[in-house]
């Protein structure tokens, strides 16, 4: 991002003041006097015509550089431009050739005059830009100062959408040591707030800025005059809805639809179940790369853990259905072989086929046939495990209850975590 520094130029056409009698014959005389003066002579708060005796300080904020949003805060470089009146610093502008209506005060004399100690609140980063300050003195006694600040401004979420999120970043300009009955801050009438409109980065942009006056309670009921700046930032990003919630939701729907595939298609259902489980797990793992720090949000964890549970449940339920179905096939094959053996026995002995209920508990024929001969002499030959529920019934129950539980989980999630989905 191209960075630039806006230098304040306070023109005579901007502030329309009446010239009073000059205090010094020239600006050079003013500089010489300041150089020889003690700190207590001109560094005291100047006299003001305000009824409260407070010095009125006009302020303009110029935001020249903004960094992308990170952890709901934004790093800015802002120039705080202030102007106030100090009749002690008047000088005759016509003495020089050519006449100059305002002059820049050298840095060595900055500490010799009074100036408001303004700062940004909150200012989370160290301000090492004290030397980056410019002071200009106008012939009519008005003083202008431009100071560069670097600060981190906190932002709050004002709107959460599927494709973008709106933030309000608020900061205040305040005085370190003066109360509102000593220094009063106000916005200058002409372009009090200047913003570098346009994109902060590829995803964020400042839509507008607002400014207002305020009072800050310091201690013991004493207030400090302050001015407030609000930056409205819109951040457009690859939506968390499309990257996290929608794919995982569709994955669970695919897991649910697998119960409509015939239970004998084991290969297809196992491949589909494995793919779904793997997709949800990799999506949960990779979300930290796509959206850093999002997993600190409880809503994302609850949703992804719920989807992982349902995808694993569909896979395990099919394993149970497959086991029951395999036992049904085994029982059917044994029943068929039993019938064939019964028909063969009836044919050889001339007897009609006996029902299974006519068998003796020791698996031998009750009727008298050939002595010592029976095809049922091995009781474990057609051993069949008892089946208490059919695979068809179990699969039908899974179709119904899987959908009911997942829809209930979705409603629960939206009711308790819907507001935190995109935070």
């Amino acid at each position: 991002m191209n960075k630039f520094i806006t230098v304040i130029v306070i023109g005579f056409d901007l502030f329309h003041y009446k010239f009073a009698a000059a205090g010094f014959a020239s600006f050079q005389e003013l500089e010489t006097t300041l150089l020889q003066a003690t700190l207590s002579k001109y560094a005291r708060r100047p006299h003001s015509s305000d009824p409260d005796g407070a010095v009125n300080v006009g302020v303009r904020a110029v935001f020249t550089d903004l960094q992308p949003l990170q952890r709901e805060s934004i790093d800015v470089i802002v120039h705080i431009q202030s102007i106030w009146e100090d009749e002690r610093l008047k000088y005759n502008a016509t003495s020089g050739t050519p006449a100059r209506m305002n002059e820049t005060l050298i840095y060595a004399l900055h500490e010799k005059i009074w100036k408001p100690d303004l700062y940004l609140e909150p200012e989370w980063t160290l301000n090492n830009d004290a030397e980056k300050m410019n002071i200009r003195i106008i012939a009519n006694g008005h003083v202008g100062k431009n100071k560069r600040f670097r600060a981190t401004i906190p932002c709050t979420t004002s709107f959460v959408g599927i494709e973008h999120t709106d933030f309000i970043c608020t900061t205040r300009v305040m005085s370190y040591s003066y109360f509102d009955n000593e220094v009063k801050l106000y916005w200058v009438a002409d372009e009090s707030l200047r913003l570098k409109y346009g994109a902060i980065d590829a995803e964020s942009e400042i839509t507008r800025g607002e400014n207002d006056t305020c009072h800050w309670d310091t201690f013991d009921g004493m207030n400090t005059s302050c001015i407030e700046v609000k930056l409205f930032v819109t951040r457009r990003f690859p939506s968390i809805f499309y990257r996290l919630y929608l794919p995982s939701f569709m994955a669970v729907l695919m897991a649910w639809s697998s119960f409509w595939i015939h239970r004998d298609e084991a290969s297809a259902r196992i491949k589909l179940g494995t793919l779904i489980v793997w997709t949800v797990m990799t999506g949960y793992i990779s979300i930290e790369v796509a959206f850093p720090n999002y997993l600190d949000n409880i809503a994302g964890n609850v949703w992804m853990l719920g989807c992982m549970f349902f995808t694993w449940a569909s896979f395990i339920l099919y394993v149970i259905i497959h086991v029951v179905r395999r036992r049904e096939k085994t029982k059917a094959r044994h029943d068929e072989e039993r019938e064939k053996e019964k028909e063969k026995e009836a044919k050889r002995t001339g007897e009609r086929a006996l029902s299974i209920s006519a068998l003796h508990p020791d698996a031998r024929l009750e009727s008298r046939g050939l002595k010592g001969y029976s095809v049922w002499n091995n009781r474990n030959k057609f051993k069949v495990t008892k089946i208490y529920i059919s695979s068809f019934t179990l699969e039908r129950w899974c179709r119904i209850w899987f959908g009911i539980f997942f829809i209930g989980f979705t409603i629960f999630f939206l009711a308790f975590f819907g507001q935190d989905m995109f935070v």
Side-chain angles (χ1 to χ4, degrees):
M1 182 184 297
N2 294 327
K3 300 184 177 181
F4 62 92
I5 299 176
T6 303
V7 180
I8 180 172
V9 178
I10 304 177
F12 186 69
D13 57 340
L14 178 59
F15 302 99
H16 302 282
Y17 294 103
K18 237 182 183 181
F19 277 88
F24 295 94
S26 64
F27 182 74
Q28 289 74 17
E29 182 182 347
L30 171 60
E31 287 185 318
T32 303
T33 304
L34 290 177
L35 188 61
Q36 297 174 354
T38 60
L39 291 176
S40 61
K41 186 173 182 180
Y42 293 98
R44 292 180 178 178
R45 187 164 54 92
H47 175 73
S48 174
S49 60
D50 188 85
D52 296 334
V55 179
N56 294 311
V57 179
V59 178
R60 176 187 289 121
V62 181
F63 288 84
T64 60
D65 188 30
L66 301 99
Q67 297 298 320
L69 282 166
Q70 293 182 354
R71 297 181 180 271
E72 295 192 357
S73 64
I74 186 171
D75 293 333
V76 301
I77 293 180
V78 56
H79 294 258
I80 302 299
Q81 303 174 358
S82 55
I83 183 170
W84 66 95
E85 184 178 4
D86 192 343
E87 295 183 354
R88 299 169 298 181
L89 303 180
K90 292 180 180 179
Y91 67 92
N92 186 3
T94 60
S95 61
T97 303
R100 297 178 63 91
M101 305 306 301
N102 56 78
E103 295 280 357
T104 300
L105 189 66
I106 61 175
Y107 180 75
L109 299 179
H110 284 185
E111 299 300 325
K112 291 296 186 74
I113 68 170
W114 181 89
K115 52 190 177 296
D117 50 352
L118 304 181
Y119 73 103
L120 284 176
E121 169 69 33
E123 185 180 359
W124 292 350
T125 57
L126 295 177
N127 179 28
N128 297 322
D129 301 322
E131 71 282 357
K132 297 179 176 63
M133 180 171 59
N134 179 32
I135 295 179
R136 297 185 70 86
I137 299 179
I138 306 175
N140 64 348
H142 287 84
V143 184
K145 183 183 73 170
N146 178 45
K147 187 173 182 180
R148 181 176 182 266
F149 289 88
R150 181 185 294 114
T152 301
I153 302 176
C155 302
T156 57
T157 304
S158 61
F159 174 77
V160 176
I162 294 179
E163 295 183 350
H164 70 93
T165 302
D166 294 338
F167 298 90
I168 299 178
C169 307
T170 305
T171 185
R172 291 170 294 275
V173 180
M174 303 172 58
S175 172
Y176 274 112
S177 55
Y178 295 102
F179 298 120
D180 55 1
N181 60 347
E182 297 171 327
V183 171
K184 290 183 179 179
L185 304 181
Y186 66 94
W187 291 102
V188 296
D190 183 29
E191 282 192 287
S192 55
L193 180 62
R194 294 179 182 176
L195 301 175
K196 183 182 179 181
Y197 281 92
I200 301 174
D201 55 10
E203 300 172 352
S204 306
E205 64 177 352
I206 299 177
T207 57
R208 72 181 192 277
E210 292 182 359
N211 56 288
D212 199 359
T213 57
C214 58
H215 290 276
W216 188 259
D217 186 11
T218 54
F219 59 91
D220 293 337
M222 302 298 292
N223 294 324
T224 298
S225 177
C226 65
I227 54 177
E228 187 176 67
V229 179
K230 290 184 179 179
L231 301 179
F232 294 82
V233 180
T234 297
R235 183 179 185 184
R236 304 181 184 277
F237 50 84
S239 175
I240 194 72
F241 179 80
Y242 295 116
R243 294 287 298 273
L244 176 65
Y245 293 103
L246 186 60
S248 55
F249 180 80
M250 297 301 295
V252 178
L253 289 183
M254 291 178 63
W256 185 19
S257 65
S258 66
F259 290 111
W260 274 267
I261 301 177
H262 197 275
R263 53 192 177 277
D264 290 339
E265 300 293 335
S267 177
R269 294 187 67 164
I270 290 176
K271 291 178 180 179
L272 179 61
T274 304
L275 177 62
I276 293 172
V277 172
W278 179 254
T279 301
V280 175
M281 291 184 64
T282 53
Y284 188 27
I285 296 172
S286 62
I287 197 65
E288 189 173 2
V289 179
F291 299 94
N293 306 315
Y294 183 77
L295 293 182
D296 295 338
N297 181 15
I298 189 174
N301 286 282
V302 170
W303 176 258
M304 292 305 298
L305 291 176
C307 291
M308 289 179 62
F309 169 79
F310 280 103
T311 52
W312 274 101
S314 67
F315 188 81
I316 294 174
L317 286 173
Y318 175 69
V319 172
I320 297 175
I321 294 173
H322 180 71
V323 171
V324 175
R325 179 60 176 168
R326 187 174 58 188
R327 291 184 176 181
E328 288 178 347
K329 289 183 176 181
T330 303
K331 182 177 181 302
R333 187 175 66 253
H334 287 180
D335 290 343
E336 183 180 357
E337 292 178 358
R338 183 183 293 111
E339 290 297 328
K340 289 181 179 180
E341 291 291 344
K342 287 168 62 178
E343 291 177 1
K344 188 184 297 185
E345 176 71 12
K347 184 177 181 180
R348 292 182 61 182
T349 59
E351 298 178 357
R352 62 182 181 84
L354 300 177
S355 62
I356 298 178
S357 60
L359 294 176
H360 191 270
D362 63 355
R364 294 180 180 274
L365 293 172
E366 285 187 345
S367 59
R368 297 181 183 273
L370 296 176
K371 293 183 179 180
Y373 174 79
S374 175
V375 296
W376 312 107
N377 55 0
N378 184 0
R379 64 181 300 165
N380 293 323
K381 183 176 181 180
F382 302 109
K383 182 179 180 181
V384 177
T385 304
K386 292 183 178 180
I387 301 175
Y388 297 97
I389 184 173
S390 66
S391 60
F392 174 77
T393 303
L394 182 60
E395 190 173 45
R396 185 171 57 183
W397 284 4
C398 290
R399 294 174 185 174
I400 298 173
W401 289 106
F402 186 91
I404 291 176
F405 279 117
F406 180 63
I407 293 174
F409 167 74
T410 305
I411 295 174
F412 165 80
F413 176 80
L414 293 176
F416 289 92
F417 303 99
Q419 297 294 331
D420 301 328
M421 288 176 61
F422 306 103
V423 176

